C-alpha cells in the first residue's frame, strides 16, 4: 500500500518555482549593481575611460545621471521582488493551503535577504570597480528601456516633495565639494612618511585659495634691497653678497621701489659695457618695472597671475601703498611641496626643540609652518607669525620674561628688540585644564 504524501508538485508548480528562482537571481543582480555602481570610484573609472575603456565610459556616464540610474534599478529590483513573492505565495497556497502564506513569507524573506541583498551587496562593496565594469552595459540598456517609467516616477516624487516644501535640487556646492575632497585626503592615513607628505601637499593645494600672500611673503625687514643711486662697485658688492637673483631697487626711501634688478641682466650689461666709465653705467636701464600687488591677494590668484605674466617676483604693498615685503613663485610652490633648498639657500628653520619638550622659536616663524611641521592647530586668522599671535592674544607688547598661556601652549618671551619679539619659548600644556 502506498504511503500518503503531504503535497504533490506538478509541472506547473515546478515551472513557477523555477521562475521564482530566476527572479531572486535578478533581484540579486539589481542589488549588487546598485551597490557597485554607487561605490565605484568615479576618478579611477574616468582615468580608464580616458585610456579608451568603453565599459568605464559607460559607468561614468551612468554615474553622471544618478537619478535615472537609481530609479531604473529600484524599479527593476522591486518588480523582481514583488513578483517573486506573489508567485511564491500562490505556489505555497496551492501546495499547502492556507498555511502556505506563512511558509512563503518566511522562506522568501530568508531567500531575498541572503541571496538577493546581503550576498550580492557584500561582493559588490568589496569589488565595486570590477563589478561596475561588468554590469554597466546591462544597466545602461535597462535605464534606456525604463526611461519613461523613471521620468514619471521623478515627476511624481518631485511634486509630492514640493507639496511639503522640500527642495529636490541635486548637486554639491563648491564648499561641500572641497570638504568632500578634504575628507577623502584625511581618510588615507596609512602608508608611512611618503603618504603623509603627499597628504600635506594635497591639503596645501586646497588651502591656496584661503591663504593670502601676506602670510608667506618675505617681510621687508628681511628683504635684500639695493640703492639704485649707489656706485657700480658698491652695487656689485651687494649683489655678490646676496643669495638672490632678483633684488628690489629703491631711491632715497625703501618705500620708494623703482625697479627690480635681475642678476643675469646685470652681468649681460657689464659684459656689454666694456670701456664704459663706472659713472656712465645706469642700473635703471636694465631694471624691470616693479610689479606691485596687494597683501590681500590669495596664493591661488597670485599663482595664476605669475603664470599669466610669466614673472616670478612681486612686491607686496598694504592698503596705503606702503612696502610690506616680496613674494616669489618659489614661495608659493614651497607652500605646496615644502621647502625647496638650493646651494645658495640657508636652511634656518627658526625652531629649536629642547630636551624638556619645549620649543625655542623665532618670532618671525609663521604659524602655518609650525602647524604643518608639528601638526599643531594654532589659529592663523588674526596673525601670520608666532610673535603676532602673542601680541594679538596678550593685547599688549610683552616684556622679556613674561609668560602667557593660550591655545594649549605656554609662551615665554626670551628676547625683544624694541617693540618686536624676536625669540620665544613655547611649552605644550599637558596638565588637565591647561590652556
Amino acid at each position: 500500500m502506498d504511503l500518503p504524501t503531504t503535497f504533490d508538485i506538478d509541472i506547473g508548480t515546478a515551472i513557477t518555482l523555477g521562475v521564482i528562482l530566476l527572479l531572486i537571481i535578478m533581484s540579486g543582480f539589481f542589488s549588487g549593481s546598485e551597490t557597485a555602481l554607487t561605490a565605484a570610484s568615479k576618478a579611477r573609472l574616468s582615468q580608464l575611460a580616458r585610456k579608451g575603456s568603453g565599459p568605464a565610459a559607460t559607468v561614468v556616464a551612468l554615474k553622471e545621471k544618478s537619478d535615472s540610474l537609481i530609479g531604473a534599478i529600484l524599479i527593476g529590483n522591486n518588480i523582481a521582488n514583488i513578483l517573486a513573492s506573489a508567485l511564491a505565495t500562490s505556489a505555497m497556497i496551492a501546495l499547502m493551503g492556507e498555511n502556505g502564506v506563512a511558509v512563503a513569507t518566511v522562506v522568501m524573506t530568508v531567500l531575498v535577504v541572503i541571496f538577493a541583498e546581503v550576498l550580492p551587496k557584500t561582493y559588490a562593496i568589496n569589488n565595486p570597480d570590477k563589478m561596475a565594469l561588468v554590469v554597466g552595459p546591462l544597466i545602461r540598456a535597462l535605464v534606456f528601456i525604463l526611461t519613461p517609467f523613471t521620468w514619471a516616477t521623478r515627476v511624481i516624487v518631485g511634486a509630492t516633495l514640493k507639496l511639503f516644501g522640500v527642495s529636490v535640487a541635486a548637486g554639491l556646492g563648491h564648499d561641500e565639494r572641497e570638504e568632500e575632497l578634504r575628507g577623502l585626503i584625511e581618510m588615507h592615513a596609512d602608508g608611512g612618511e611618503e603618504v603623509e607628505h603627499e597628504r600635506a601637499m594635497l591639503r596645501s593645494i586646497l588651502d591656496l585659495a584661503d591663504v593670502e600672500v601676506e602670510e608667506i611673503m618675505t617681510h621687508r625687514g628681511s628683504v635684500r634691497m639695493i640703492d639704485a643711486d649707489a656706485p657700480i662697485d658698491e652695487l656689485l658688492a651687494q649683489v655678490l653678497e646676496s643669495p638672490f637673483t632678483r633684488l628690489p631697487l629703491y631711491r632715497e626711501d625703501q618705500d620708494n621701489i623703482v625697479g627690480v634688478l635681475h642678476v643675469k641682466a646685470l652681468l649681460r650689461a657689464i659684459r656689454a659695457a666694456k670701456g664704459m666709465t663706472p659713472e656712465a653705467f645706469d642700473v635703471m636701464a636694465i631694471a624691470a618695472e616693479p610689479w606691485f600687488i596687494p597683501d590681500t591677494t590669495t596664493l591661488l590668484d597670485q599663482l595664476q597671475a605669475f603664470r599669466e605674466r610669466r614673472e616670478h617676483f612681486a612686491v607686496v604693498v598694504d592698503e596705503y601703498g606702503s612696502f610690506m615685503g616680496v613674494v616669489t613663485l618659489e614661495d608659493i610652490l614651497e607652500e605646496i611641496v615644502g621647502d625647496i633648498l638650493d646651494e645658495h639657500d640657508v636652511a634656518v628653520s627658526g625652531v629649536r626643540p629642547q630636551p624638556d619638550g619645549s620649543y625655542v622659536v623665532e618670532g618671525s616663524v609663521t604659524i602655518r609652518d609650525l602647524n604643518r611641521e608639528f601638526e599643531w592647530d594654532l589659529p592663523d586668522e588674526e596673525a601670520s607669525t608666532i610673535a603676532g599671535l602673542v601680541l594679538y592674544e596678550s593685547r599688549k607688547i610683552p616684556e622679556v620674561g613674561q609668560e602667557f598661556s593660550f591655545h594649549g601652549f605656554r609662551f615665554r618671551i626670551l628676547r625683544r628688540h624694541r617693540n618686536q619679539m624676536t625669540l620665544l619659548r613655547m611649552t605644550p600644556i599637558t596638565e588637565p585644564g591647561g590652556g
Side-chain angles (χ1 to χ4, degrees), residues 206-226:
L206 293 177
D207 288 339
L208 289 180
D210 301 321
V211 180
E212 297 176 350
V213 293
E214 180 187 9
E215 300 181 47
I216 71 161
M217 69 181 184
T218 302
H219 190 269
R220 60 177 294 167
S222 302
V223 175
R224 298 286 187 90
M225 305 179 67
I226 296 178

Side-chain angles (χ1 to χ4, degrees), residues 105-346:
T105 300
V106 173
V107 172
M108 287 304 298
T109 298
V110 173
L111 292 178
V112 169
V113 168
I114 294 178
F115 297 102
E117 294 292 335
V118 176
L119 191 151
K121 288 187 175 182
T122 300
Y123 177 83
I125 202 67
N126 286 283
N127 304 274
D129 293 357
K130 179 180 178 181
M131 184 170 179
L133 293 173
V134 173
V135 303
L138 297 175
I139 296 298
R140 181 179 62 178
L142 176 71
V143 170
F144 177 77
I145 294 172
L146 296 180
T147 294
F149 300 99
T150 56
W151 177 83
T153 301
R154 289 202 306 273
V155 171
I156 296 172
V157 170
T160 304
L161 291 176
K162 193 173 182 180
L163 291 175
F164 294 94
V166 179
S167 174
V168 293
L172 296 176
H174 177 270
D175 293 340
E176 289 81 4
R177 291 185 183 278
E178 182 174 317
E179 286 303 314
E180 183 181 18
L181 283 175
R182 291 183 186 275
L184 289 172
I185 292 170
E186 297 304 325
M187 283 176 60
H188 295 281
D190 300 328
E193 183 177 349
E194 182 178 350
V195 171
E196 177 56 37
H197 181 63
E198 292 174 351
R199 289 172 61 203
M201 290 174 59
L202 292 172
R203 285 195 294 262
S204 297
I205 292 173
L206 293 177
D207 288 339
L208 289 180
D210 301 321
V211 180
E212 297 176 350
V213 293
E214 180 187 9
E215 300 181 47
I216 71 161
M217 69 181 184
T218 302
H219 190 269
R220 60 177 294 167
S222 302
V223 175
R224 298 286 187 90
M225 305 179 67
I226 296 178
D227 185 352
D229 296 325
I232 183 61
D233 293 338
E234 181 180 336
L235 187 146
L236 281 174
Q238 294 182 40
V239 169
L240 291 174
E241 290 176 0
S242 171
F244 306 111
T245 57
R246 294 175 178 85
L247 298 165
L249 296 171
Y250 70 93
R251 276 202 169 116
E252 297 178 0
D253 184 353
Q254 289 192 351
D255 277 325
N256 182 30
I257 297 178
V258 294
V260 176
L261 176 63
H262 196 296
V263 173
K264 186 177 290 187
L266 176 63
L267 294 176
R268 290 198 190 102
I270 292 175
R271 181 176 181 181
K274 290 182 178 179
M276 181 185 298
T277 61
E279 292 78 12
F281 187 85
D282 183 13
V283 69
M284 290 302 300
I286 61 172
E289 286 288 330
W291 176 20
F292 297 99
I293 63 170
D295 58 342
T296 55
T297 305
T298 66
L299 299 190
L300 181 59
D301 290 340
Q302 188 56 38
L303 179 60
Q304 293 172 340
F306 275 138
R307 294 179 59 188
E308 291 172 0
R309 292 177 59 116
R310 297 184 180 181
E311 295 193 32
H312 292 199
F313 188 95
V315 179
V316 183
V317 296
D318 63 12
E319 58 183 317
Y320 304 106
S322 298
F323 172 51
M324 296 186 65
V326 299
V327 66
T328 67
L329 177 60
E330 184 177 319
D331 292 332
I332 299 178
L333 294 179
E334 285 182 342
E335 280 297 299
I336 301 174
V337 303
D339 289 339
I340 303 173
L341 302 178
D342 59 30
E343 65 274 18
H344 300 297
D345 285 324
V346 180

